[in-house]
Amino acid sequence: MASTVVNLSCNVGATKVLDRANYMGLKPSMNSNFVCVRSTNRACNRRLFVVRASEMHDDKKMGLSDAECEAAVVAGNVPKAPPVPPMPVAPAGTPVVATLPLNRRPRRNRKSPALRAAFQETSLTPANFVYPLFIHEGEEDTPIGAMPGCYRLGWRHGLLEEVSKARDVGVNSVVLFPKVPDALKSPSGDEAYNDNGLVPRTIRLLKDKYPDLVIYTDVALDPYNSDGHDGIVREDGVIMNDETVHQLCKQAVSQARAGADVVSPSDMMDGRVGAIRGALDAEGFHHVSIMSYTAKYASSFYGPFREALDSNPRFGDKKTYQMNPANYREALVETREDESEGADILLVKPGLPYLDIIRLLRDNSALPIAAYQVSGEYSMIKAGGVLKMIDEERVMMESLMCLRRAGADIILTYFALQAARCLCGEKR
């Protein structure tokens, strides 16, 4: 018979030395030989006792039938069981107060790990993660200084190794971001829809190696634009909307042709979701999903990402197409437009500073909601961990849980591999 172990803090008051031999079932822990004695001026030393059911009675079966066992209990011959544990005693100096007249005590549902797990409202699994991966034409993996632990991965070697590691711990979704050679960049970003460009080649390689891998792609011109903007720049500095959308449609079709599962317009041009949906359907890619960057804010948290892709705007900023961080209701306008144009997933970027926007979309749309925990969020947690100002692993997991709690179904996060290993119990 297995033992039932109960840890009790011994504060038993007595007028004589506690007779352990006659106090059935209580056994002092092995690291001490003391006994508890009542004292008028001193509190009884705390001791740990272990109650073991297997040591209290003979656990051998007697061969009795169910009816015989029931009859014995009815006759008053109750089998031995562990004794009622003594009530724990408060430490010396604790004030004696009247019990509060509370009908509801929420702490009752938090009193043990098992209860806390049973009533946990939000879950986090590796399936919730989409792993952003930076790729380049080189063969070596190049560290990204502003993002410790992240690399520009060689598309033929390092990328495959990183994807394999992620799949081993349950992360089977990736999103690709290319570092394009400067010589291939142009004002109109034509390299974005080159069927033999870096991204289409990478998609074909990944699908050949891992057919069931879910591949998200980024649809925007900034990695390919010599001006570093998400759209075509007119000579007076204006970002041209409709002309950019025309290029984005060709980019999305090229990515779908290579095998992308989800194309993700991150450019914030007006009308691009509907135009891309039409272009995909016209080419027979009805099955390819669109994850729209619905509420993408002109945020200062993107700095490390732009170093990773060497894609800082050559001039100006992105405030004429990305959203004002001060705006809340505007996110609903973007949500309604993207839904009506055929988006399959709605994304909020950044993540933690915009939990209210994630909740706003969750409460106003039945579509899946994605959140992007961006490079600045990642780098701050990493830096805080290095400086021992925070517990990196705990803060990482809490931040991801908060994004889920706010309403995100999936999270794009550079922590995907590290967090999945934690969830799987690995320590690497």
Side-chain angles (χ1 to χ4, degrees):
M1 171 178 171
S3 298
T4 300
V5 179
V6 179
N7 290 331
L8 300 174
S9 181
C10 174
N11 284 295
V12 180
T15 55
K16 60 179 181 179
V17 174
L18 181 65
D19 185 356
R20 295 195 300 273
N22 295 322
Y23 195 76
M24 181 174 292
L26 287 186
K27 168 183 165 183
S29 56
M30 297 177 62
N31 59 354
S32 176
N33 296 314
F34 98 103
V35 292
C36 291
V37 181
R38 181 185 298 277
S39 171
T40 57
N41 296 318
R42 292 180 298 171
C44 176
N45 292 329
R46 286 179 174 265
R47 289 293 303 121
L48 182 67
F49 283 90
V50 180
V51 178
R52 297 185 184 276
S54 60
E55 296 178 2
M56 294 172 51
H57 59 84
D58 188 353
D59 59 358
K60 294 180 180 178
K61 292 184 178 180
M62 304 300 293
L64 301 177
S65 66
D66 291 349
E68 290 171 329
C69 289
E70 291 179 359
V73 172
V74 170
N77 298 321
V78 180
K80 292 181 180 179
V84 176
M87 288 290 289
V89 177
T94 301
V96 179
V97 299
T99 301
L100 294 173
L102 303 178
N103 290 327
R104 178 73 58 200
R105 289 181 180 263
R107 286 185 57 191
R108 286 195 284 258
N109 290 343
R110 308 172 196 147
K111 64 186 178 184
S112 73
L115 283 174
R116 291 193 294 272
F119 302 135
Q120 182 168 311
E121 300 172 17
T122 305
S123 62
L124 184 67
T125 74
N128 298 126
F129 301 146
V130 178
Y131 195 7
L133 296 172
F134 302 110
I135 55 175
H136 69 148
E137 296 285 7
E139 295 188 354
E140 300 299 324
D141 300 338
T142 306
I144 300 169
M147 300 178 67
C150 291
Y151 298 81
R152 292 175 186 164
L153 300 168
W155 73 279
R156 285 168 293 183
H157 306 289
L159 174 65
L160 295 180
E161 293 175 7
E162 194 71 6
V163 170
S164 177
K165 293 175 186 176
R167 285 166 59 89
D168 284 345
V169 287
V171 178
N172 199 45
S173 298
V174 300
V175 57
L176 303 174
F177 293 102
K179 196 282 183 186
V180 177
D182 288 343
L184 296 178
K185 296 181 181 182
S186 66
S188 56
D190 295 343
E191 180 66 16
Y193 51 87
N194 177 3
D195 284 344
N196 202 37
L198 177 57
V199 170
R201 271 185 278 126
T202 301
I203 294 171
R204 296 197 299 267
L205 179 67
L206 286 172
K207 282 295 185 179
D208 181 67
K209 180 73 172 177
Y210 307 113
D212 63 332
L213 180 70
V214 179
I215 300 178
Y216 293 71
T217 57
D218 179 52
V219 178
L221 296 187
D222 53 327
Y224 311 90
N225 189 317
S226 52
D227 295 308
H229 278 282
D230 292 50
I232 299 173
V233 184
R234 204 166 62 189
E235 64 178 8
D236 60 355
V238 171
I239 310 301
M240 304 176 72
N241 191 92
D242 297 5
E243 294 80 1
T244 296
V245 170
H246 178 78
Q247 298 289 75
L248 298 178
C249 289
K250 292 192 285 186
Q251 182 183 16
V253 169
S254 175
Q255 294 170 351
R257 188 179 296 122
D261 298 286
V262 185
V263 296
S264 311
S266 64
D267 57 289
M268 292 300 288
M269 298 296 120
D270 294 335
R272 88 277 202 210
V273 172
I276 290 172
R277 183 73 273 162
L280 290 172
D281 291 352
E283 295 291 330
F285 298 115
H286 306 85
H287 60 285
V288 175
S289 301
I290 297 176
M291 179 176 72
S292 173
Y293 283 55
T294 297
K296 181 180 180 181
Y297 286 83
S299 172
S300 299
F301 284 89
Y302 303 150
F305 177 94
R306 289 172 183 164
E307 177 190 322
L309 295 186
D310 191 20
S311 61
N312 273 309
R314 189 170 57 84
F315 63 90
D317 52 42
K318 302 189 176 187
K319 293 181 180 179
T320 65
Y321 46 101
Q322 295 178 359
M323 290 174 57
N324 185 341
N327 289 2
Y328 177 82
R329 297 189 306 273
E330 187 181 7
L332 284 179
V333 175
E334 295 285 358
T335 296
R336 289 162 184 157
E337 290 299 317
D338 286 354
E339 283 188 323
S340 67
E341 293 177 22
D344 300 287
I345 307 165
L346 308 178
L347 182 140
V348 177
K349 181 180 181 182
L352 282 178
Y354 295 83
L355 293 177
D356 58 329
I357 306 301
I358 297 172
R359 173 49 57 184
L360 179 67
L361 268 62
R362 173 72 291 147
D363 290 343
N364 287 276
S365 177
L367 291 178
I369 305 299
Y372 199 143
Q373 187 181 47
V374 300
S375 57
E377 300 172 64
Y378 170 87
S379 295
M380 286 193 299
I381 294 174
K382 280 289 184 181
V386 169
L387 295 173
K388 305 300 181 183
M389 299 173 69
I390 59 173
D391 184 317
E392 178 187 318
E393 183 176 301
R394 289 179 179 273
V395 172
M396 169 187 71
M397 299 306 294
E398 182 178 342
S399 68
L400 295 169
M401 185 64 77
C402 289
L403 292 167
R404 286 278 291 143
R405 188 196 65 229
D409 298 289
I410 59 173
I411 304 169
L412 284 68
T413 175
Y414 304 100
F415 283 121
L417 177 58
Q418 184 180 349
R421 284 173 168 170
C422 288
L423 290 169
C424 293
E426 292 188 22
K427 298 290 182 183
R428 296 184 184 178

